[in-house]
Amino acid sequence: MLERLRNLFRGSARSFDGATGGRRWPRKATTPSLLHAQHAARFTIAARARYLASNNALAASAVEAWVSSLVGTGIKPQAAHGDKDTREALNVAFERWTDEADADGLGDFYALQALLVRRLVIDGEAFAVMANDATGLSVRLLDPEQVDASLTRELEGGARIVSGVEFDTAGRRVAYHIRDQNAFVNLSYRVRRVPAEDVLHLFRIDTPGQVRGISWFAPVMLRMANLDTWADAQLERQKIGAMLAGFIRSNDAGGSPMDGVDNGDGTLEGGLEPATLKYLRPGEEIAFSDPPAIGAEVIGFAKRLEREIAVGLGLPGWLLHGDISDANYGSQRGSLVEFRRRVEALQHGVVVFQALRPIWKRWAATEVLAGRIDTTIDAAMPARWIVPKTAWIDPKKDVEAELMAIEGGIMSRREAVTSRGLDIEEVDREIADDKARADGLGLTFSNPANDNKTTAADGVAA
């Protein structure tokens, strides 16, 4: 009986190849605790990712691709207040505030979004501090290294600080410990304790209990570095091969060299020119060098590595390297459908939830308390978020599909317009203004919007 049980457990262990040892599985290729691994490796990975994004073409392209896909020209809030006039007042006031959003005055609210996402991709996280003064709300972006990652300790009563983030006894984030901006130029600096409600911390959550973000380049960092080194070696190989033009052989030790200038190191300059024929003296012959060529297998190998890097970064391959020679309509559309699902999840689950929604709530509360918007704080909180329009591969087919969905009652006009990154109320006002102007000028178009009806529910075209 004991032997049967022993064999049973042995068989169970061997049935998972991933749990076996030996030469088939490298030693130390395990991550016992993801939280501990992230805590230990976060700084090194972020530093290497910053280097790659600054010096590697594929890394720079990946950053730009994610920034343009996630925020593009900016994710815009649309107030969801129950009163139409108050809703419009909130939207107009917020649009005016966007130019004043950046505390440093270097961009507007939408430029802040792009920089937040850029740091999110490279460093794995982004930080900003919200502050109120007499003029209203402002947002100041922080370098991720300003949040003191070296600060980790236990506090009284069971509270703790982990990598510069303070938690209370219930595990809630209550504060961030932030270095002054001059910490990067002076050895002495001050660390401020900033309440968590004033701090925006943007990062992709990979595991429960995660405290700080990890760079999106982590899965492909080594592969990108190796590909970069390999490409440099190939380039040097071609350069060395191209330095040699040819060799002159003489069977007669007393022969004279070919016409040209001997520069003293055995090479001949000006000996050969385009469209010329040279006579060799008796006993001389010339042999041309044969520089190494880049074969199809080398190009195929490079493409395979680029595809692996694109997969690890979550991007379609052609979006990373810009080569669409192997792509067609079906492959591009299929990859975009899956990629857009991923983008939408990150837009609403990370960018909007962790950064944009807190900014809206803080701004709306500020405007109500200052008396600039006549409503209550709770009524001003709800908002919809309009993401930038995504380009279509075949616009005609997609528009026709939308029209059929609207006519079939499975999609509203609001949903269709919002998917284009537009506010339906603004669109309807523009349509009405265009109609009135055209009627006043006696203009007639092939598809006039004369059949639009206004519903009493929301006052917009049905």
Side-chain angles (χ1 to χ4, degrees):
M1 177 63 72
L2 183 61
E3 185 65 24
R4 289 178 61 187
L5 289 174
R6 187 180 293 113
N7 292 335
L8 176 63
F9 285 110
R10 285 175 179 171
S12 299
R14 285 195 298 268
S15 63
F16 289 93
D17 291 339
T20 59
R23 291 175 295 177
R24 294 182 61 192
W25 191 259
R27 266 184 215 175
K28 300 182 181 178
T30 60
T31 305
S33 171
L34 185 57
L35 288 176
H36 291 156
Q38 288 178 342
H39 181 76
R42 188 199 65 81
F43 177 80
T44 301
I45 290 177
R48 290 175 176 172
R50 288 190 288 269
Y51 176 84
L52 285 174
S54 301
N55 297 278
N56 183 282
L58 286 179
S61 175
V63 174
E64 295 300 328
W66 270 119
V67 171
S68 62
S69 298
L70 286 175
V71 296
T73 55
I75 302 176
K76 180 180 178 181
Q78 183 184 48
H81 195 282
D83 179 69
K84 180 177 180 296
D85 293 336
T86 305
R87 187 166 63 240
E88 291 182 358
L90 283 167
N91 289 334
V92 171
F94 186 87
E95 198 61 31
R96 284 199 304 264
W97 174 79
T98 56
D99 289 340
E100 310 297 330
D102 186 3
D104 296 320
L106 301 178
D108 61 5
F109 173 65
Y110 306 108
L112 290 178
Q113 294 181 25
L115 189 51
L116 279 170
V117 170
R118 183 177 298 277
R119 301 325 310 172
L120 168 67
V121 175
I122 298 174
D123 296 285
E125 59 186 352
F127 291 91
V129 174
M130 298 182 291
N132 288 89
D133 56 23
T135 61
L137 175 66
S138 62
V139 180
R140 171 168 278 116
L141 299 188
L142 304 176
D143 187 284
E145 297 309 317
Q146 284 184 252
V147 179
D148 195 354
S150 65
L151 190 58
T152 299
R153 67 170 182 261
E154 295 292 332
L155 302 176
E156 293 182 3
R160 66 191 187 280
I161 301 174
V162 181
S163 294
V165 184
E166 183 176 337
F167 298 85
D168 62 11
T169 55
R172 293 183 294 260
R173 295 171 185 248
V174 294
Y176 287 81
H177 294 260
I178 300 174
R179 298 172 178 172
D180 288 335
Q181 287 183 324
N182 63 0
F184 302 104
V185 293
N186 297 328
L187 293 179
S188 60
Y189 55 85
R190 183 171 61 94
V191 176
R192 296 183 296 120
R193 182 183 182 277
V194 181
E197 58 264 23
D198 293 336
V199 179
L200 303 173
H201 187 189
L202 186 67
F203 68 103
R204 186 177 63 186
I205 303 174
D206 298 317
T207 185
Q210 185 173 341
V211 178
R212 301 284 296 265
I214 197 81
S215 172
W216 292 15
F217 286 95
V220 299
M221 189 169 292
L222 184 58
R223 186 72 81 209
M224 293 189 88
N226 288 337
L227 177 60
D228 213 10
T229 303
W230 173 81
D232 286 341
Q234 286 290 336
L235 181 60
E236 287 299 320
R237 180 187 178 209
Q238 297 300 312
K239 286 168 60 178
I240 293 171
M243 286 178 183
L244 299 174
F247 307 89
I248 301 173
R249 298 191 183 97
S250 176
N251 295 325
D252 183 3
S256 300
M258 286 185 62
D259 295 338
V261 179
D262 189 343
N263 60 15
D265 62 356
T267 60
L268 193 65
E269 296 180 358
L272 294 175
E273 296 179 2
T276 61
L277 296 175
K278 293 284 186 177
Y279 288 96
L280 298 178
R281 293 180 175 86
E284 290 183 344
E285 62 176 312
I286 184 169
F288 292 94
S289 66
D290 185 15
I294 298 180
E297 72 282 354
V298 176
I299 297 174
F301 177 70
K303 287 185 176 181
R304 174 172 178 172
L305 289 181
E306 289 175 352
R307 285 195 295 267
E308 288 184 9
I309 292 171
V311 169
L313 288 168
L315 294 168
W318 53 269
L319 194 59
L320 174 67
H321 49 66
D323 182 9
I324 59 174
S325 59
D326 295 331
N328 53 40
Y329 172 81
S331 63
Q332 282 186 292
R333 186 176 179 87
S335 62
L336 275 179
V337 168
E338 175 58 31
F339 177 63
R340 285 175 180 171
R341 290 196 190 103
R342 189 173 301 169
V343 167
E344 289 175 0
L346 291 170
Q347 283 173 333
H348 295 284
V350 178
V351 181
V352 171
F353 183 80
Q354 295 180 351
L356 305 189
R357 192 179 295 174
I359 291 176
W360 169 268
K361 290 182 177 180
R362 183 72 165 263
W363 172 85
T366 300
E367 296 300 297
V368 172
L369 292 175
R372 290 186 284 266
I373 301 293
D374 185 16
T375 186
T376 64
I377 293 178
D378 289 340
M381 290 296 104
R384 301 183 183 92
W385 293 92
I386 303 175
V387 299
K389 175 187 176 182
T390 53
W392 288 317
I393 296 177
D394 190 342
K396 182 175 183 293
K397 290 183 179 179
D398 287 292
V399 171
E400 288 176 347
E402 279 189 342
L403 292 175
M404 292 174 63
I406 293 172
E407 291 175 359
I410 59 176
M411 174 185 280
S412 66
R413 280 190 62 249
R414 182 182 293 275
E415 181 183 357
V417 172
T418 300
S419 68
R420 295 166 175 263
L422 302 172
D423 182 345
I424 189 171
E425 295 181 1
E426 292 182 6
V427 170
D428 288 340
R429 278 196 298 269
E430 291 177 3
I431 292 174
D433 291 343
D434 287 347
K435 243 180 78 175
R437 186 170 57 253
D439 292 342
L441 296 173
L443 301 176
T444 302
F445 299 98
S446 57
N447 293 308
N450 291 326
D451 295 329
N452 289 334
K453 297 180 181 179
T454 302
T455 64
D458 55 7
V460 297

